[in-house]
Amino acid sequence: MKKIFFSLILLMATMQLFAQDNGVEMADSLRSSGKIYVVVMCIVIILVGLLAYLFSIDKRLKKIEKENHIGK
Amino acid sequence: MHKTWWKILGSVLVIYTAIAGLLLGVPHLAILNETIRNLYFHVPMWFAMIVLFSISVFYSVKSLSSKSEIDDIKAVESVNAGIIFGILGLITGAIWAKYTWGQFWSFDPKQNFAAISILLYFAYLILRNAIDEEQKRAKISAIYNIFAFPMMVVLLFVLPRLKDSLHPGNGGNPGFNSYDLDSRMRMVFYPACLGWILIGYWVYTIRFRIRSIENKQQHN
């Protein structure tokens, strides 16, 4: 298990080596300036918030199911 | 359905997609530019929708033989959850089309057929609402659903390939699979699909559980 995990990690590390550059305009400068991380952070916060909300709905639903004696 | 581990797995995968999908490298292709990343967000919506509609048709077939109300509720709630993902797929597709094809809606075969397949399922919900008698409703809507599902598959996967569609993978346009879905993109794309399918399934189970409580209270 550990071996597979490490080889996966190493595989991921080598992926970057295949990056090609054929002169097409990409957001490289935006990423190197670090500001893309702001956007990533916002998206992650929104996703985490929504998913936490889903979990809380799930929890409330479980409580109601218990009150209504609905089996699993 | 009540276990927690797959909900956490889905959440982790979706969050991973947002981070890796924006930060990892992608092939540099003209016109597409960075919008190639839409593959991680737009396409999983359709996969989630198709999985939910498959669940629905499975329970429709089952409800015809079992005549059980629970199977009928499962069928309708998975359509309800699937439609949300379909609409999200249409909207994200239209936004992407604006910046690559030039218009939000250029009446491309893929767009039109995707909209029609969503309408098919709206018709399913309207048909259900039109019938008051419960057993009749279950039977008629199950049969409609069994016809709607292959129609949806044909509309999304067969017809756009025969017409001149601009969408990647259709009408002579190479799909993401053939030339630019490289190993870097696969590492994000497959987890994204699985993650969104799990989230879609989760939304469906929540809808189903609420509906069965409502149902129980009505009968009491």
PDB file of all heavy atoms in Angstrom, chain A residues 16 22 24-27 31 37 43-44 51 54-55 58 61-62 65 68 70, chain B residues 2 7 11 19 22-24 28 33-34 37 199 202 206 209 213 216-217:
ATOM      1  N   GLN A  16       4.829  17.225 -14.137  1.00  0.00           N
ATOM      2  CA  GLN A  16       5.147  18.616 -14.462  1.00  0.00           C
ATOM      3  C   GLN A  16       6.203  18.704 -15.562  1.00  0.00           C
ATOM      4  O   GLN A  16       6.274  19.671 -16.291  1.00  0.00           O
ATOM      5  CB  GLN A  16       5.658  19.344 -13.212  1.00  0.00           C
ATOM      6  CG  GLN A  16       4.678  19.314 -12.056  1.00  0.00           C
ATOM      7  CD  GLN A  16       3.399  20.054 -12.365  1.00  0.00           C
ATOM      8  OE1 GLN A  16       3.427  21.036 -13.101  1.00  0.00           O
ATOM      9  NE2 GLN A  16       2.280  19.599 -11.845  1.00  0.00           N
ATOM     10  N   ASN A  22       4.276  26.107 -26.479  1.00  0.00           N
ATOM     11  CA  ASN A  22       4.304  26.382 -27.910  1.00  0.00           C
ATOM     12  C   ASN A  22       3.799  27.790 -28.219  1.00  0.00           C
ATOM     13  O   ASN A  22       3.267  28.058 -29.285  1.00  0.00           O
ATOM     14  CB  ASN A  22       3.530  25.313 -28.681  1.00  0.00           C
ATOM     15  CG  ASN A  22       2.165  25.075 -28.084  1.00  0.00           C
ATOM     16  OD1 ASN A  22       1.701  25.869 -27.261  1.00  0.00           O
ATOM     17  ND2 ASN A  22       1.520  23.999 -28.476  1.00  0.00           N
ATOM     18  N   VAL A  24       1.335  29.637 -27.100  1.00  0.00           N
ATOM     19  CA  VAL A  24      -0.063  30.042 -26.976  1.00  0.00           C
ATOM     20  C   VAL A  24      -0.242  30.761 -25.644  1.00  0.00           C
ATOM     21  O   VAL A  24       0.273  30.316 -24.611  1.00  0.00           O
ATOM     22  CB  VAL A  24      -1.000  28.813 -27.059  1.00  0.00           C
ATOM     23  CG1 VAL A  24      -2.430  29.223 -26.865  1.00  0.00           C
ATOM     24  CG2 VAL A  24      -0.814  28.111 -28.388  1.00  0.00           C
ATOM     25  N   GLU A  25      -0.981  31.869 -25.681  1.00  0.00           N
ATOM     26  CA  GLU A  25      -1.155  32.686 -24.485  1.00  0.00           C
ATOM     27  C   GLU A  25      -1.919  31.922 -23.409  1.00  0.00           C
ATOM     28  O   GLU A  25      -3.052  31.508 -23.631  1.00  0.00           O
ATOM     29  CB  GLU A  25      -1.931  33.954 -24.857  1.00  0.00           C
ATOM     30  CG  GLU A  25      -2.038  34.969 -23.763  1.00  0.00           C
ATOM     31  CD  GLU A  25      -0.734  35.701 -23.508  1.00  0.00           C
ATOM     32  OE1 GLU A  25       0.025  35.923 -24.462  1.00  0.00           O
ATOM     33  OE2 GLU A  25      -0.487  36.031 -22.338  1.00  0.00           O
ATOM     34  N   MET A  26      -1.299  31.716 -22.257  1.00  0.00           N
ATOM     35  CA  MET A  26      -1.978  31.083 -21.134  1.00  0.00           C
ATOM     36  C   MET A  26      -1.830  31.983 -19.910  1.00  0.00           C
ATOM     37  O   MET A  26      -1.129  32.988 -19.972  1.00  0.00           O
ATOM     38  CB  MET A  26      -1.394  29.692 -20.841  1.00  0.00           C
ATOM     39  CG  MET A  26      -1.419  28.741 -21.996  1.00  0.00           C
ATOM     40  SD  MET A  26      -3.056  28.351 -22.603  1.00  0.00           S
ATOM     41  CE  MET A  26      -3.428  26.885 -21.685  1.00  0.00           C
ATOM     42  N   ALA A  27      -2.428  31.581 -18.825  1.00  0.00           N
ATOM     43  CA  ALA A  27      -2.417  32.443 -17.641  1.00  0.00           C
ATOM     44  C   ALA A  27      -1.174  32.232 -16.794  1.00  0.00           C
ATOM     45  O   ALA A  27      -1.207  32.330 -15.586  1.00  0.00           O
ATOM     46  CB  ALA A  27      -3.662  32.193 -16.811  1.00  0.00           C
ATOM     47  N   ARG A  31      -0.489  33.089 -12.806  1.00  0.00           N
ATOM     48  CA  ARG A  31      -0.227  32.092 -11.801  1.00  0.00           C
ATOM     49  C   ARG A  31       1.087  32.398 -11.067  1.00  0.00           C
ATOM     50  O   ARG A  31       1.186  32.229  -9.872  1.00  0.00           O
ATOM     51  CB  ARG A  31      -0.179  30.697 -12.431  1.00  0.00           C
ATOM     52  CG  ARG A  31      -0.750  29.649 -11.523  1.00  0.00           C
ATOM     53  CD  ARG A  31      -0.845  28.304 -12.215  1.00  0.00           C
ATOM     54  NE  ARG A  31      -1.722  28.326 -13.354  1.00  0.00           N
ATOM     55  CZ  ARG A  31      -1.330  28.040 -14.587  1.00  0.00           C
ATOM     56  NH1 ARG A  31      -0.085  27.712 -14.836  1.00  0.00           N
ATOM     57  NH2 ARG A  31      -2.173  28.079 -15.565  1.00  0.00           N
ATOM     58  N   TYR A  37      -4.134  32.040  -6.794  1.00  0.00           N
ATOM     59  CA  TYR A  37      -4.433  31.376  -5.521  1.00  0.00           C
ATOM     60  C   TYR A  37      -5.588  32.038  -4.789  1.00  0.00           C
ATOM     61  O   TYR A  37      -6.300  31.396  -4.032  1.00  0.00           O
ATOM     62  CB  TYR A  37      -3.190  31.349  -4.634  1.00  0.00           C
ATOM     63  CG  TYR A  37      -2.075  30.514  -5.226  1.00  0.00           C
ATOM     64  CD1 TYR A  37      -0.947  31.100  -5.772  1.00  0.00           C
ATOM     65  CD2 TYR A  37      -2.208  29.134  -5.265  1.00  0.00           C
ATOM     66  CE1 TYR A  37       0.051  30.318  -6.346  1.00  0.00           C
ATOM     67  CE2 TYR A  37      -1.219  28.348  -5.829  1.00  0.00           C
ATOM     68  CZ  TYR A  37      -0.097  28.943  -6.375  1.00  0.00           C
ATOM     69  OH  TYR A  37       0.869  28.168  -6.945  1.00  0.00           O
ATOM     70  N   ILE A  43     -12.999  29.794  -4.343  1.00  0.00           N
ATOM     71  CA  ILE A  43     -13.790  28.655  -4.812  1.00  0.00           C
ATOM     72  C   ILE A  43     -13.825  27.562  -3.748  1.00  0.00           C
ATOM     73  O   ILE A  43     -14.876  26.981  -3.468  1.00  0.00           O
ATOM     74  CB  ILE A  43     -13.209  28.108  -6.136  1.00  0.00           C
ATOM     75  CG1 ILE A  43     -13.394  29.141  -7.248  1.00  0.00           C
ATOM     76  CG2 ILE A  43     -13.886  26.811  -6.532  1.00  0.00           C
ATOM     77  CD1 ILE A  43     -12.696  28.793  -8.529  1.00  0.00           C
ATOM     78  N   VAL A  44     -12.664  27.319  -3.134  1.00  0.00           N
ATOM     79  CA  VAL A  44     -12.611  26.274  -2.105  1.00  0.00           C
ATOM     80  C   VAL A  44     -13.487  26.646  -0.922  1.00  0.00           C
ATOM     81  O   VAL A  44     -14.219  25.809  -0.382  1.00  0.00           O
ATOM     82  CB  VAL A  44     -11.152  26.021  -1.673  1.00  0.00           C
ATOM     83  CG1 VAL A  44     -11.096  25.148  -0.435  1.00  0.00           C
ATOM     84  CG2 VAL A  44     -10.382  25.356  -2.795  1.00  0.00           C
ATOM     85  N   LEU A  51     -20.700  22.308   1.035  1.00  0.00           N
ATOM     86  CA  LEU A  51     -20.656  20.900   1.443  1.00  0.00           C
ATOM     87  C   LEU A  51     -20.948  20.765   2.930  1.00  0.00           C
ATOM     88  O   LEU A  51     -21.662  19.849   3.344  1.00  0.00           O
ATOM     89  CB  LEU A  51     -19.298  20.297   1.085  1.00  0.00           C
ATOM     90  CG  LEU A  51     -19.059  20.140  -0.425  1.00  0.00           C
ATOM     91  CD1 LEU A  51     -17.614  19.778  -0.706  1.00  0.00           C
ATOM     92  CD2 LEU A  51     -19.974  19.087  -1.012  1.00  0.00           C
ATOM     93  N   LEU A  54     -24.553  20.922   3.284  1.00  0.00           N
ATOM     94  CA  LEU A  54     -25.159  19.635   2.923  1.00  0.00           C
ATOM     95  C   LEU A  54     -25.051  18.649   4.084  1.00  0.00           C
ATOM     96  O   LEU A  54     -26.010  17.946   4.399  1.00  0.00           O
ATOM     97  CB  LEU A  54     -24.449  19.055   1.706  1.00  0.00           C
ATOM     98  CG  LEU A  54     -25.131  19.182   0.342  1.00  0.00           C
ATOM     99  CD1 LEU A  54     -24.296  18.508  -0.720  1.00  0.00           C
ATOM    100  CD2 LEU A  54     -26.509  18.564   0.357  1.00  0.00           C
ATOM    101  N   PHE A  55     -23.868  18.630   4.726  1.00  0.00           N
ATOM    102  CA  PHE A  55     -23.684  17.728   5.861  1.00  0.00           C
ATOM    103  C   PHE A  55     -24.657  18.072   6.985  1.00  0.00           C
ATOM    104  O   PHE A  55     -25.216  17.181   7.628  1.00  0.00           O
ATOM    105  CB  PHE A  55     -22.236  17.808   6.382  1.00  0.00           C
ATOM    106  CG  PHE A  55     -21.312  16.850   5.705  1.00  0.00           C
ATOM    107  CD1 PHE A  55     -20.352  17.296   4.809  1.00  0.00           C
ATOM    108  CD2 PHE A  55     -21.398  15.484   5.958  1.00  0.00           C
ATOM    109  CE1 PHE A  55     -19.502  16.407   4.174  1.00  0.00           C
ATOM    110  CE2 PHE A  55     -20.555  14.596   5.332  1.00  0.00           C
ATOM    111  CZ  PHE A  55     -19.604  15.057   4.432  1.00  0.00           C
ATOM    112  N   ASP A  58     -28.031  16.875   6.182  1.00  0.00           N
ATOM    113  CA  ASP A  58     -28.041  15.426   6.344  1.00  0.00           C
ATOM    114  C   ASP A  58     -28.240  15.049   7.806  1.00  0.00           C
ATOM    115  O   ASP A  58     -28.993  14.136   8.137  1.00  0.00           O
ATOM    116  CB  ASP A  58     -26.709  14.879   5.814  1.00  0.00           C
ATOM    117  CG  ASP A  58     -26.818  13.435   5.394  1.00  0.00           C
ATOM    118  OD1 ASP A  58     -26.590  12.582   6.250  1.00  0.00           O
ATOM    119  OD2 ASP A  58     -27.145  13.174   4.221  1.00  0.00           O
ATOM    120  N   LEU A  61     -31.746  15.786   8.969  1.00  0.00           N
ATOM    121  CA  LEU A  61     -32.643  14.792   8.380  1.00  0.00           C
ATOM    122  C   LEU A  61     -32.585  13.487   9.165  1.00  0.00           C
ATOM    123  O   LEU A  61     -33.614  12.848   9.410  1.00  0.00           O
ATOM    124  CB  LEU A  61     -32.220  14.566   6.923  1.00  0.00           C
ATOM    125  CG  LEU A  61     -33.198  13.848   6.006  1.00  0.00           C
ATOM    126  CD1 LEU A  61     -34.557  14.517   6.049  1.00  0.00           C
ATOM    127  CD2 LEU A  61     -32.676  13.879   4.590  1.00  0.00           C
ATOM    128  N   LYS A  62     -31.372  13.116   9.582  1.00  0.00           N
ATOM    129  CA  LYS A  62     -31.211  11.890  10.361  1.00  0.00           C
ATOM    130  C   LYS A  62     -32.017  11.972  11.657  1.00  0.00           C
ATOM    131  O   LYS A  62     -32.647  11.006  12.076  1.00  0.00           O
ATOM    132  CB  LYS A  62     -29.727  11.689  10.684  1.00  0.00           C
ATOM    133  CG  LYS A  62     -29.107  10.560   9.876  1.00  0.00           C
ATOM    134  CD  LYS A  62     -27.639  10.389  10.189  1.00  0.00           C
ATOM    135  CE  LYS A  62     -26.925   9.782   8.993  1.00  0.00           C
ATOM    136  NZ  LYS A  62     -25.480   9.894   9.087  1.00  0.00           N
ATOM    137  N   GLU A  65     -35.637  11.623  10.901  1.00  0.00           N
ATOM    138  CA  GLU A  65     -35.933  10.222  10.593  1.00  0.00           C
ATOM    139  C   GLU A  65     -36.058   9.390  11.867  1.00  0.00           C
ATOM    140  O   GLU A  65     -36.903   8.513  11.970  1.00  0.00           O
ATOM    141  CB  GLU A  65     -34.822   9.637   9.703  1.00  0.00           C
ATOM    142  CG  GLU A  65     -35.024   9.944   8.231  1.00  0.00           C
ATOM    143  CD  GLU A  65     -33.875   9.488   7.368  1.00  0.00           C
ATOM    144  OE1 GLU A  65     -32.783   9.230   7.909  1.00  0.00           O
ATOM    145  OE2 GLU A  65     -34.062   9.416   6.154  1.00  0.00           O
ATOM    146  N   ASN A  68     -39.326   9.996  13.426  1.00  0.00           N
ATOM    147  CA  ASN A  68     -40.420   9.386  12.682  1.00  0.00           C
ATOM    148  C   ASN A  68     -40.307   7.869  12.595  1.00  0.00           C
ATOM    149  O   ASN A  68     -41.089   7.233  11.898  1.00  0.00           O
ATOM    150  CB  ASN A  68     -40.490   9.975  11.274  1.00  0.00           C
ATOM    151  CG  ASN A  68     -41.185  11.320  11.268  1.00  0.00           C
ATOM    152  OD1 ASN A  68     -42.403  11.398  11.232  1.00  0.00           O
ATOM    153  ND2 ASN A  68     -40.416  12.377  11.328  1.00  0.00           N
ATOM    154  N   ILE A  70     -38.115   5.958  11.059  1.00  0.00           N
ATOM    155  CA  ILE A  70     -37.834   5.400   9.736  1.00  0.00           C
ATOM    156  C   ILE A  70     -36.519   4.651   9.822  1.00  0.00           C
ATOM    157  O   ILE A  70     -35.490   5.208  10.163  1.00  0.00           O
ATOM    158  CB  ILE A  70     -37.792   6.504   8.658  1.00  0.00           C
ATOM    159  CG1 ILE A  70     -39.208   7.012   8.426  1.00  0.00           C
ATOM    160  CG2 ILE A  70     -37.194   5.967   7.370  1.00  0.00           C
ATOM    161  CD1 ILE A  70     -39.311   8.097   7.415  1.00  0.00           C
TER     162      ILE A  70
ATOM    163  N   HIS B   2     -27.093   5.817   4.265  1.00  0.00           N
ATOM    164  CA  HIS B   2     -26.910   6.577   5.503  1.00  0.00           C
ATOM    165  C   HIS B   2     -25.457   6.645   5.949  1.00  0.00           C
ATOM    166  O   HIS B   2     -25.143   7.303   6.923  1.00  0.00           O
ATOM    167  CB  HIS B   2     -27.765   5.972   6.615  1.00  0.00           C
ATOM    168  CG  HIS B   2     -29.228   6.147   6.351  1.00  0.00           C
ATOM    169  ND1 HIS B   2     -29.969   7.158   6.916  1.00  0.00           N
ATOM    170  CD2 HIS B   2     -30.069   5.468   5.551  1.00  0.00           C
ATOM    171  CE1 HIS B   2     -31.213   7.065   6.482  1.00  0.00           C
ATOM    172  NE2 HIS B   2     -31.299   6.057   5.661  1.00  0.00           N
ATOM    173  N   LYS B   7     -19.792  10.284   1.390  1.00  0.00           N
ATOM    174  CA  LYS B   7     -20.092  11.726   1.315  1.00  0.00           C
ATOM    175  C   LYS B   7     -18.815  12.530   1.502  1.00  0.00           C
ATOM    176  O   LYS B   7     -18.570  13.520   0.806  1.00  0.00           O
ATOM    177  CB  LYS B   7     -21.107  12.101   2.386  1.00  0.00           C
ATOM    178  CG  LYS B   7     -22.453  11.463   2.146  1.00  0.00           C
ATOM    179  CD  LYS B   7     -23.358  11.548   3.353  1.00  0.00           C
ATOM    180  CE  LYS B   7     -24.594  10.708   3.121  1.00  0.00           C
ATOM    181  NZ  LYS B   7     -25.370  10.510   4.333  1.00  0.00           N
ATOM    182  N   SER B  11     -16.894  14.932  -1.204  1.00  0.00           N
ATOM    183  CA  SER B  11     -16.519  16.314  -0.873  1.00  0.00           C
ATOM    184  C   SER B  11     -15.041  16.545  -1.120  1.00  0.00           C
ATOM    185  O   SER B  11     -14.645  17.553  -1.721  1.00  0.00           O
ATOM    186  CB  SER B  11     -16.831  16.612   0.587  1.00  0.00           C
ATOM    187  OG  SER B  11     -18.125  16.189   0.905  1.00  0.00           O
ATOM    188  N   ILE B  19      -8.988  22.767  -6.680  1.00  0.00           N
ATOM    189  CA  ILE B  19      -7.606  23.223  -6.497  1.00  0.00           C
ATOM    190  C   ILE B  19      -6.733  22.746  -7.662  1.00  0.00           C
ATOM    191  O   ILE B  19      -6.111  23.547  -8.363  1.00  0.00           O
ATOM    192  CB  ILE B  19      -7.039  22.687  -5.160  1.00  0.00           C
ATOM    193  CG1 ILE B  19      -7.889  23.194  -4.000  1.00  0.00           C
ATOM    194  CG2 ILE B  19      -5.595  23.124  -4.983  1.00  0.00           C
ATOM    195  CD1 ILE B  19      -7.599  22.526  -2.686  1.00  0.00           C
ATOM    196  N   LEU B  22      -7.499  24.113 -11.221  1.00  0.00           N
ATOM    197  CA  LEU B  22      -7.079  25.478 -11.544  1.00  0.00           C
ATOM    198  C   LEU B  22      -5.566  25.632 -11.554  1.00  0.00           C
ATOM    199  O   LEU B  22      -5.041  26.507 -12.239  1.00  0.00           O
ATOM    200  CB  LEU B  22      -7.693  26.462 -10.544  1.00  0.00           C
ATOM    201  CG  LEU B  22      -9.182  26.718 -10.742  1.00  0.00           C
ATOM    202  CD1 LEU B  22      -9.764  27.414  -9.543  1.00  0.00           C
ATOM    203  CD2 LEU B  22      -9.424  27.545 -11.982  1.00  0.00           C
ATOM    204  N   LEU B  23      -4.861  24.807 -10.799  1.00  0.00           N
ATOM    205  CA  LEU B  23      -3.421  25.051 -10.636  1.00  0.00           C
ATOM    206  C   LEU B  23      -2.535  24.129 -11.454  1.00  0.00           C
ATOM    207  O   LEU B  23      -1.457  24.532 -11.876  1.00  0.00           O
ATOM    208  CB  LEU B  23      -3.046  24.946  -9.153  1.00  0.00           C
ATOM    209  CG  LEU B  23      -3.688  26.013  -8.268  1.00  0.00           C
ATOM    210  CD1 LEU B  23      -3.246  25.825  -6.841  1.00  0.00           C
ATOM    211  CD2 LEU B  23      -3.333  27.408  -8.753  1.00  0.00           C
ATOM    212  N   LEU B  24      -2.954  22.889 -11.699  1.00  0.00           N
ATOM    213  CA  LEU B  24      -2.088  21.981 -12.445  1.00  0.00           C
ATOM    214  C   LEU B  24      -1.980  22.416 -13.902  1.00  0.00           C
ATOM    215  O   LEU B  24      -2.830  23.136 -14.416  1.00  0.00           O
ATOM    216  CB  LEU B  24      -2.626  20.545 -12.362  1.00  0.00           C
ATOM    217  CG  LEU B  24      -2.441  19.805 -11.044  1.00  0.00           C
ATOM    218  CD1 LEU B  24      -2.864  18.355 -11.219  1.00  0.00           C
ATOM    219  CD2 LEU B  24      -1.004  19.861 -10.562  1.00  0.00           C
ATOM    220  N   HIS B  28      -1.318  23.484 -23.956  1.00  0.00           N
ATOM    221  CA  HIS B  28      -1.512  24.837 -24.496  1.00  0.00           C
ATOM    222  C   HIS B  28      -2.120  24.705 -25.883  1.00  0.00           C
ATOM    223  O   HIS B  28      -1.470  24.274 -26.808  1.00  0.00           O
ATOM    224  CB  HIS B  28      -0.167  25.555 -24.583  1.00  0.00           C
ATOM    225  CG  HIS B  28       0.404  25.866 -23.239  1.00  0.00           C
ATOM    226  ND1 HIS B  28       1.143  26.996 -23.002  1.00  0.00           N
ATOM    227  CD2 HIS B  28       0.333  25.224 -22.061  1.00  0.00           C
ATOM    228  CE1 HIS B  28       1.520  27.017 -21.731  1.00  0.00           C
ATOM    229  NE2 HIS B  28       1.037  25.942 -21.139  1.00  0.00           N
ATOM    230  N   ASN B  33      -7.404  27.881 -24.998  1.00  0.00           N
ATOM    231  CA  ASN B  33      -6.606  28.517 -23.945  1.00  0.00           C
ATOM    232  C   ASN B  33      -6.904  27.875 -22.596  1.00  0.00           C
ATOM    233  O   ASN B  33      -6.946  26.665 -22.498  1.00  0.00           O
ATOM    234  CB  ASN B  33      -6.836  30.035 -23.919  1.00  0.00           C
ATOM    235  CG  ASN B  33      -6.502  30.666 -25.244  1.00  0.00           C
ATOM    236  OD1 ASN B  33      -7.320  30.654 -26.147  1.00  0.00           O
ATOM    237  ND2 ASN B  33      -5.287  31.173 -25.390  1.00  0.00           N
ATOM    238  N   GLU B  34      -7.160  28.716 -21.609  1.00  0.00           N
ATOM    239  CA  GLU B  34      -7.393  28.158 -20.266  1.00  0.00           C
ATOM    240  C   GLU B  34      -8.781  27.544 -20.131  1.00  0.00           C
ATOM    241  O   GLU B  34      -9.046  26.844 -19.158  1.00  0.00           O
ATOM    242  CB  GLU B  34      -7.213  29.237 -19.191  1.00  0.00           C
ATOM    243  CG  GLU B  34      -5.793  29.785 -19.068  1.00  0.00           C
ATOM    244  CD  GLU B  34      -4.862  28.886 -18.285  1.00  0.00           C
ATOM    245  OE1 GLU B  34      -5.306  27.837 -17.803  1.00  0.00           O
ATOM    246  OE2 GLU B  34      -3.678  29.246 -18.169  1.00  0.00           O
ATOM    247  N   ARG B  37      -9.836  23.981 -19.019  1.00  0.00           N
ATOM    248  CA  ARG B  37     -10.099  23.560 -17.639  1.00  0.00           C
ATOM    249  C   ARG B  37     -11.582  23.341 -17.383  1.00  0.00           C
ATOM    250  O   ARG B  37     -11.956  22.744 -16.382  1.00  0.00           O
ATOM    251  CB  ARG B  37      -9.566  24.607 -16.664  1.00  0.00           C
ATOM    252  CG  ARG B  37      -8.058  24.719 -16.677  1.00  0.00           C
ATOM    253  CD  ARG B  37      -7.596  25.797 -15.723  1.00  0.00           C
ATOM    254  NE  ARG B  37      -6.212  26.165 -15.975  1.00  0.00           N
ATOM    255  CZ  ARG B  37      -5.182  25.461 -15.543  1.00  0.00           C
ATOM    256  NH1 ARG B  37      -5.383  24.387 -14.828  1.00  0.00           N
ATOM    257  NH2 ARG B  37      -3.961  25.830 -15.828  1.00  0.00           N
ATOM    258  N   ILE B 199     -21.634  13.530  -5.212  1.00  0.00           N
ATOM    259  CA  ILE B 199     -22.403  14.657  -4.679  1.00  0.00           C
ATOM    260  C   ILE B 199     -23.835  14.617  -5.227  1.00  0.00           C
ATOM    261  O   ILE B 199     -24.810  14.832  -4.501  1.00  0.00           O
ATOM    262  CB  ILE B 199     -21.729  16.004  -5.034  1.00  0.00           C
ATOM    263  CG1 ILE B 199     -20.334  16.092  -4.414  1.00  0.00           C
ATOM    264  CG2 ILE B 199     -22.584  17.181  -4.584  1.00  0.00           C
ATOM    265  CD1 ILE B 199     -20.294  16.211  -2.927  1.00  0.00           C
ATOM    266  N   TRP B 202     -25.741  12.023  -3.479  1.00  0.00           N
ATOM    267  CA  TRP B 202     -26.035  12.496  -2.122  1.00  0.00           C
ATOM    268  C   TRP B 202     -27.272  13.409  -2.121  1.00  0.00           C
ATOM    269  O   TRP B 202     -28.183  13.237  -1.296  1.00  0.00           O
ATOM    270  CB  TRP B 202     -24.797  13.229  -1.592  1.00  0.00           C
ATOM    271  CG  TRP B 202     -24.864  13.631  -0.156  1.00  0.00           C
ATOM    272  CD1 TRP B 202     -25.793  13.273   0.766  1.00  0.00           C
ATOM    273  CD2 TRP B 202     -23.924  14.466   0.526  1.00  0.00           C
ATOM    274  NE1 TRP B 202     -25.496  13.830   1.975  1.00  0.00           N
ATOM    275  CE2 TRP B 202     -24.361  14.564   1.846  1.00  0.00           C
ATOM    276  CE3 TRP B 202     -22.755  15.142   0.124  1.00  0.00           C
ATOM    277  CZ2 TRP B 202     -23.664  15.326   2.788  1.00  0.00           C
ATOM    278  CZ3 TRP B 202     -22.067  15.887   1.061  1.00  0.00           C
ATOM    279  CH2 TRP B 202     -22.521  15.974   2.382  1.00  0.00           C
ATOM    280  N   ILE B 206     -30.867  12.757  -0.165  1.00  0.00           N
ATOM    281  CA  ILE B 206     -31.504  13.711   0.747  1.00  0.00           C
ATOM    282  C   ILE B 206     -32.932  13.987   0.297  1.00  0.00           C
ATOM    283  O   ILE B 206     -33.881  13.956   1.092  1.00  0.00           O
ATOM    284  CB  ILE B 206     -30.674  15.011   0.828  1.00  0.00           C
ATOM    285  CG1 ILE B 206     -29.407  14.762   1.645  1.00  0.00           C
ATOM    286  CG2 ILE B 206     -31.483  16.136   1.454  1.00  0.00           C
ATOM    287  CD1 ILE B 206     -28.458  15.919   1.682  1.00  0.00           C
ATOM    288  N   ARG B 209     -35.090  10.974   1.074  1.00  0.00           N
ATOM    289  CA  ARG B 209     -35.418  10.786   2.479  1.00  0.00           C
ATOM    290  C   ARG B 209     -36.463  11.790   2.955  1.00  0.00           C
ATOM    291  O   ARG B 209     -37.367  11.445   3.715  1.00  0.00           O
ATOM    292  CB  ARG B 209     -34.134  10.892   3.305  1.00  0.00           C
ATOM    293  CG  ARG B 209     -33.293   9.631   3.199  1.00  0.00           C
ATOM    294  CD  ARG B 209     -31.841   9.880   3.453  1.00  0.00           C
ATOM    295  NE  ARG B 209     -31.581  10.252   4.828  1.00  0.00           N
ATOM    296  CZ  ARG B 209     -30.393  10.673   5.255  1.00  0.00           C
ATOM    297  NH1 ARG B 209     -29.385  10.788   4.415  1.00  0.00           N
ATOM    298  NH2 ARG B 209     -30.221  10.984   6.506  1.00  0.00           N
ATOM    299  N   ILE B 213     -40.328  10.842   4.317  1.00  0.00           N
ATOM    300  CA  ILE B 213     -40.895  11.311   5.589  1.00  0.00           C
ATOM    301  C   ILE B 213     -42.235  11.999   5.338  1.00  0.00           C
ATOM    302  O   ILE B 213     -43.229  11.723   6.012  1.00  0.00           O
ATOM    303  CB  ILE B 213     -39.924  12.266   6.305  1.00  0.00           C
ATOM    304  CG1 ILE B 213     -38.704  11.500   6.805  1.00  0.00           C
ATOM    305  CG2 ILE B 213     -40.605  12.956   7.486  1.00  0.00           C
ATOM    306  CD1 ILE B 213     -37.590  12.384   7.264  1.00  0.00           C
ATOM    307  N   LYS B 216     -44.824   9.460   4.689  1.00  0.00           N
ATOM    308  CA  LYS B 216     -45.257   8.745   5.887  1.00  0.00           C
ATOM    309  C   LYS B 216     -46.242   9.596   6.681  1.00  0.00           C
ATOM    310  O   LYS B 216     -47.249   9.098   7.186  1.00  0.00           O
ATOM    311  CB  LYS B 216     -44.033   8.406   6.726  1.00  0.00           C
ATOM    312  CG  LYS B 216     -44.306   7.262   7.678  1.00  0.00           C
ATOM    313  CD  LYS B 216     -43.143   6.991   8.585  1.00  0.00           C
ATOM    314  CE  LYS B 216     -43.565   5.998   9.649  1.00  0.00           C
ATOM    315  NZ  LYS B 216     -42.715   6.086  10.828  1.00  0.00           N
ATOM    316  N   GLN B 217     -45.925  10.922   6.764  1.00  0.00           N
ATOM    317  CA  GLN B 217     -46.808  11.800   7.527  1.00  0.00           C
ATOM    318  C   GLN B 217     -48.168  11.955   6.856  1.00  0.00           C
ATOM    319  O   GLN B 217     -49.180  12.112   7.510  1.00  0.00           O
ATOM    320  CB  GLN B 217     -46.137  13.165   7.712  1.00  0.00           C
ATOM    321  CG  GLN B 217     -45.051  13.097   8.775  1.00  0.00           C
ATOM    322  CD  GLN B 217     -44.210  14.338   8.820  1.00  0.00           C
ATOM    323  OE1 GLN B 217     -44.248  15.164   7.901  1.00  0.00           O
ATOM    324  NE2 GLN B 217     -43.437  14.490   9.872  1.00  0.00           N
TER     325      GLN B 217
END
